[in-house]
């Protein structure tokens, strides 16, 4: 019963607290797209790569993790290619974690 209630609460809240690594933040949509596709070529094993507009900026985010430690592992893996990347807290829809 409690598990079902917990699932319903998570759905109402829009997901579960999680973490990802942001690799781009800027005003250019083209640069955001290029960053996304370059990342997908360099790291094909990482499936969750997205870019979105949060006016007036574009953001490219990679990974969807339950813990900050998991996102730190990814950040250390990509740090040589993306030295300005940083970890942010996000809401992850149920079932979409890496």
């Amino acid at each position: 019963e409690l598990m079902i209630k917990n699932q319903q609460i998570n759905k109402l809240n829009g997901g579960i607290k999680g973490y990802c690594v942001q690799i781009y933040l800027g005003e250019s949509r083209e640069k955001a797209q290029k960053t996304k596709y370059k990342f997908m070529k360099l790291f094909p094993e990482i499936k969750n790569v997205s870019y979105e507009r949060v006016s007036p900026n574009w953001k490219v985010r990679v990974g969807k993790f339950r813990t900050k430690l998991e996102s730190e592992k990814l950040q250390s893996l990509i740090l040589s290619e993306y030295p300005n990347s940083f970890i942010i807290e996000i809401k992850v829809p149920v079932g979409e974690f890496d």
Side-chain angles (χ1 to χ4, degrees), residues 14-31:
I16 302 169
K17 182 177 96 169
Y19 299 91
C20 71
V21 180
Q22 187 164 303
I23 59 173
Y24 176 79
L25 173 65
E27 294 181 7
S28 172
R29 181 180 182 180
E30 288 178 35
K31 284 185 182 179

Side-chain angles (χ1 to χ4, degrees), residues 3-87:
M3 288 179 64
I4 292 170
K5 272 195 172 194
N6 190 28
Q7 288 174 345
Q8 291 171 344
I9 291 169
N10 286 335
K11 285 181 184 178
L12 288 174
N13 289 336
I16 302 169
K17 182 177 96 169
Y19 299 91
C20 71
V21 180
Q22 187 164 303
I23 59 173
Y24 176 79
L25 173 65
E27 294 181 7
S28 172
R29 181 180 182 180
E30 288 178 35
K31 284 185 182 179
Q33 287 177 331
K34 286 179 183 178
T35 302
K36 176 185 174 182
Y37 295 126
K38 179 182 174 187
F39 182 87
M40 291 170 74
K41 284 183 182 178
L42 292 173
F43 303 98
E45 67 277 6
I46 300 167
K47 302 297 180 200
N48 280 315
V49 182
S50 64
Y51 74 103
E52 64 178 302
R53 180 165 173 84
V54 180
S55 191
N57 294 316
W58 287 89
K59 298 178 179 185
V60 179
R61 297 175 174 168
V62 297
K64 291 182 181 177
F65 303 102
R66 288 184 186 272
T67 65
K68 194 170 185 178
L69 182 63
E70 291 174 308
S71 59
E72 287 171 352
K73 287 179 186 177
L74 173 61
Q75 186 183 28
S76 68
L77 178 71
I78 67 173
L79 203 57
S80 62
E81 202 62 45
Y82 299 96
N84 295 326
S85 65
F86 55 95
I87 296 168

